[in-house]
Amino acid sequence: MTSSLSRGRPRRASHISVRVVLALVGGLIGVVWLMLPGVTDRGEGRVTGGAARPVAGGVGQGEVEETSAADLVMPMLAVVAVTVLAGYGFLRRRRRARGRTTPGGAPVPGAEPEIGDLDERARALLVEADDWVRVSREELGFLEGRVGLLADRPKAPPVPVDVEPFTRVLRDAEAELTVAFRMRWQYEGGVPGETAARRHVLAGIVGRGEEAGRLLDGQAAAFDQARGLEEGLGGGLGEALAVAEGRFRELAGRTGAADAVLRGIGERYAASATAAVTGHVEQAKDRLVFATARLNHARQSADSGEIERATGLLRAAEGAIAQAAVFIDGIDRLAGELATAAAMIPAALTGGEVELAGARESAPGVAEAYADVPPGELRARVGHADVVLAGVRQELTSGPYDPLDLLRRIVRGLGPVVAGRGGVITAAAQVCAHSAVADADDVVATHRAAVGDEARTRLAEARRLLAPASAPAGRGPRQELAELITADTLAQQARHLAEQDIRTHGHPVDGPGADAIGLAGAVLGGILQRTGGQPVSFGGPRTRGRRGDAPSM
C-alpha cells in the first residue's frame, strides 16, 4: 500500500515547468509584437527618420488609419493569450490543491474534512472491516470443509482446491486491521496530542481499513471459483450443502449435551459463574432453526435450477450454523475454564502467601524488586492482599462460588506485590485473561450488527496483549503479569460495552416478516444485511453482498 505520507505530495517540478512555458510564450509574443511595426514599415515604404513622406503610388489617409488599427490587433491578441494561459494555470493549481488529502503544500481552507467527520468515518470503518474479516474467516472454514470432504472420499482424485492464497490474504487483512485498532486505541488514549498529527492518525486508520477490504475484494472471485457453488448439485454446491448439513446435524446433537453441561455447572457453582453463557442454548437453537429453513430452501432452489438463489440461501444457512457453533463451543469452553480455575485456586493461595512473606521479610532478590516502592506503600499493598486472600478462603468454605471470579481476585490482589517470580500467579492471570477475551469475542461474533467500535477496539487491544509476538524483548514477570491483568480488564470492558450496544440496538427487524423464526437473530448476528436481506460472504465492501438474490424473509 502506498504510504500516506507520499500520496498527494506536490509536484513542484511540474508547477515550475508550467510557469516557464507561460513566461516563454509571453516573451515570444512580446518580441513578435515589437518587431511587427518594423516589418510593416518596410512593406509600406515608410522612410526611416522624420515625418512620413508620400511615395510613388502614395497611400491615402484611410489606408493609413486601417494600418494603424491593424497594428493594435497583435498586442490585443497577445494580452488575451497570456491572460488565458495564466488563468488556466492558476485554476489547474487550485483544483490540484483542493484535491489533496494529505500534507504536501499550503492547505486550502475547507479542503480537508472536519476532524469530527474523519473520526466518525474511522470508527465506522473499523466496525465494517472487522466484520469483513470475521465473515471471510467464517466462510473460509466451509471451503476447508469442502477440501476435507473431497480428501475423505475413497479413491478420490487429487483435491483441486488450494486454500493457501485465501488463508494468506485473510492473514494480511487481519494484520492491517490489527494495526488500525492499535492506532485507534492509542488515539483514544490521547496519542498523539497535536491536532494535525491526530488527523493523520485518523486518515491512517481509514487507509488501513480500506486496504483490508481491498485485499479481500481482490480474492473474492477466485474464492467463488474455489467453492464452485455455480456448478450446481453435481459440483461445488452439492458438496457445500453436504458440509453444511453435516455440521448442522453435529450441532443439533451437541445442543442437548450442552444444555446438560450448563445445568451441571449451574448446580455446582455460583450463578455468576454461568452468566457469560446464559441463554446460549436457546440462541443456538434459534440459529439452527433459521439454518434448517435455509438449507431446505437451498436444496429446493438447486433442484429447480435456481442456482444463484440456492447459493444465497446456503450462505445464510452457513452463517447461522457458524454462530450456533460459537454458542455451543462457548458453553463447553467455560466448563473447562471453571474446572481449571477451581483446581488452581489452592495453588494460587499458597503462591500468594509465599509472595506476601517475601514482601514482609525483604527476602533475597525481593528487596531489589521493590526498590522503587516506598516502604509505606508496600505495607499497604501487603495488607490489601492479605484481606483479599482471607475473603477468598471464606468464600471457598461458605458455599457455591465462582472459580474464575475468585482466581481473578487473587491475581489482582497479589499483582502489586509479586516480586518478579511469576509462577502460579502468572499462570492464573493467563487463565482469567484468555477466558475474558474468548467471552467478549463470542458476543461480538454473534451480534455483529449491533456491536460498535469501542467494544471492538478494547477487545483488539486485549487480544494484542495476549499475543506472544507483542511481548517486548526483556519483559520481566512483573510486566507480563501487569499486561495480563490489563488484557483481562479490557476484555471485560469490551463485553460490557458490547452488551450495552445490543440493548441499545433493540429489535433488528421491522415490518412484514418480523416474527419469522430465527430472522431477528440472523439480522442481529450480521448473517443477513439489514437492508436488502442478502447474506454476507467472503470479501470486502464491494463483494460481500454478492451471493444470490435476497432470500425470502
Side-chain angles (χ1 to χ4, degrees):
M1 182 175 65
T2 305
S3 171
S4 59
L5 292 175
S6 63
R7 291 199 201 101
R9 186 171 291 160
R11 290 171 286 184
R12 300 186 62 85
S14 176
H15 289 180
I16 293 171
S17 63
V18 170
R19 296 192 188 103
V20 171
V21 170
L22 291 175
L24 289 174
V25 171
L28 181 60
I29 293 174
V31 170
V32 172
W33 176 25
L34 292 173
M35 293 177 64
L36 188 62
V39 174
T40 305
D41 289 346
R42 289 191 293 272
E44 294 294 334
R46 300 177 71 91
V47 179
T48 305
R53 300 173 185 170
V55 296
V59 181
Q61 181 66 29
E63 293 178 353
V64 173
E65 291 176 354
E66 289 177 5
T67 303
S68 299
D71 289 343
L72 295 176
V73 173
M74 286 304 296
M76 292 176 65
L77 290 175
V79 171
V80 171
V82 171
T83 302
V84 169
L85 289 172
Y88 170 74
F90 171 76
L91 292 174
R92 186 165 176 259
R93 287 194 299 273
R94 187 169 184 177
R95 282 197 303 268
R96 189 175 293 168
R98 282 179 174 173
R100 291 192 189 108
T101 57
T102 54
V108 178
E112 294 181 330
E114 294 292 333
I115 194 167
D117 296 337
L118 191 57
D119 181 51
E120 287 297 321
R121 174 60 181 149
R123 294 172 60 183
L125 194 57
L126 279 175
V127 173
E128 293 168 9
D130 192 37
D131 283 350
W132 303 334
V133 168
R134 287 177 179 274
V135 172
S136 297
R137 187 190 306 121
E138 171 191 293
E139 191 174 1
L140 179 60
F142 284 94
L143 174 60
E144 292 169 341
R146 181 195 180 194
V147 174
L149 180 69
L150 293 173
D152 290 341
R153 286 180 176 174
K155 299 181 180 179
V159 178
V161 179
D162 181 13
V163 300
E164 176 56 29
F166 313 117
T167 303
R168 184 169 56 251
V169 76
L170 181 58
R171 186 168 55 245
D172 292 342
E174 288 174 337
E176 294 287 347
L177 184 60
T178 298
V179 175
F181 272 123
R182 178 62 177 157
M183 294 169 70
R184 181 69 199 185
W185 176 247
Q186 292 175 326
Y187 180 90
E188 290 183 0
V191 179
E194 301 80 8
T195 301
R198 289 177 71 78
R199 183 188 297 276
H200 187 73
V201 167
L202 291 175
I205 293 171
V206 171
R208 294 279 184 175
E210 290 175 343
E211 177 65 6
R214 187 192 66 78
L215 289 169
L216 295 171
D217 279 333
Q219 285 291 327
F223 186 85
D224 287 350
Q225 186 176 2
R227 291 214 70 183
L229 299 181
E230 290 73 17
E231 299 170 4
L233 289 175
L237 181 58
E239 293 158 0
L241 282 167
V243 171
E245 289 165 349
R247 293 188 181 183
F248 172 87
R249 289 190 293 270
E250 177 193 355
L251 289 169
R254 289 178 58 196
T255 301
D259 193 19
V261 169
L262 188 56
R263 287 198 304 270
I265 58 180
E267 293 169 358
R268 182 174 182 181
Y269 301 116
S272 61
T274 59
V277 295
T278 298
H280 271 34
V281 172
E282 289 73 19
Q283 292 187 73
K285 291 178 179 178
D286 182 73
R287 297 296 195 276
L288 291 177
V289 167
F290 177 85
T292 300
R294 265 47 189 183
L295 286 173
N296 290 337
H297 291 319
R299 279 213 172 268
Q300 293 170 6
S301 297
D303 288 337
S304 61
E306 298 178 87
I307 302 303
E308 185 178 2
R309 181 172 176 78
T311 61
L313 291 163
L314 168 65
R315 183 65 205 112
E318 289 175 343
I321 290 168
Q323 291 193 8
V326 172
F327 288 122
I328 299 300
D329 291 343
I331 295 173
D332 292 339
R333 185 189 65 247
L334 179 63
E337 290 168 348
L338 290 172
T340 299
M344 291 187 73
I345 288 174
L349 288 171
T350 302
E353 291 293 351
V354 172
E355 292 288 348
L356 292 180
R360 290 190 189 97
E361 300 169 5
S362 297
V366 175
E368 293 81 357
Y370 296 123
D372 58 337
V373 182
E377 182 179 342
L378 180 59
R379 285 193 295 272
R381 292 181 184 181
V382 171
H384 173 72
D386 267 331
V387 172
V388 169
L389 295 185
V392 169
R393 288 193 187 89
Q394 183 177 358
E395 286 197 36
L396 281 173
T397 58
S398 61
Y401 61 91
D402 181 346
L404 280 169
D405 178 64
L406 293 189
L407 197 63
R408 185 171 281 120
R409 285 160 58 184
I410 294 172
V411 169
R412 295 186 179 182
L414 289 169
V417 183
V418 170
R421 287 165 292 190
V424 67
I425 304 302
T426 300
Q430 289 174 341
V431 170
C432 295
H434 282 283
S435 175
V437 167
D439 287 344
D441 192 72
D442 286 355
V443 176
V444 176
T446 53
H447 301 82
R448 293 193 302 257
V451 180
D453 67 289
E454 291 186 43
R456 298 179 195 237
T457 300
R458 280 157 179 75
L459 175 59
E461 180 63 12
R463 193 184 291 116
R464 186 193 69 83
L465 290 172
L466 293 183
S470 69
R475 182 182 66 168
R478 289 183 68 185
Q479 184 181 354
E480 180 185 5
L481 180 59
E483 290 182 357
L484 289 170
I485 293 173
T486 301
D488 184 34
T489 302
L490 288 173
Q492 288 188 305
Q493 291 175 358
R495 181 184 176 91
H496 174 72
L497 290 168
E499 291 172 339
Q500 232 175 26
D501 289 340
I502 295 165
R503 289 192 295 270
T504 303
H505 190 266
H507 200 279
V509 182
D510 299 317
D515 296 328
I517 295 176
L519 178 59
V523 175
L524 184 62
I527 297 167
L528 300 178
Q529 299 184 76
R530 187 165 187 172
T531 55
Q534 290 90 352
V536 290
S537 303
F538 183 105
R542 293 189 297 105
T543 58
R544 68 190 305 257
R546 66 190 180 278
R547 286 281 167 68
D549 299 326
S552 173
M553 290 190 177

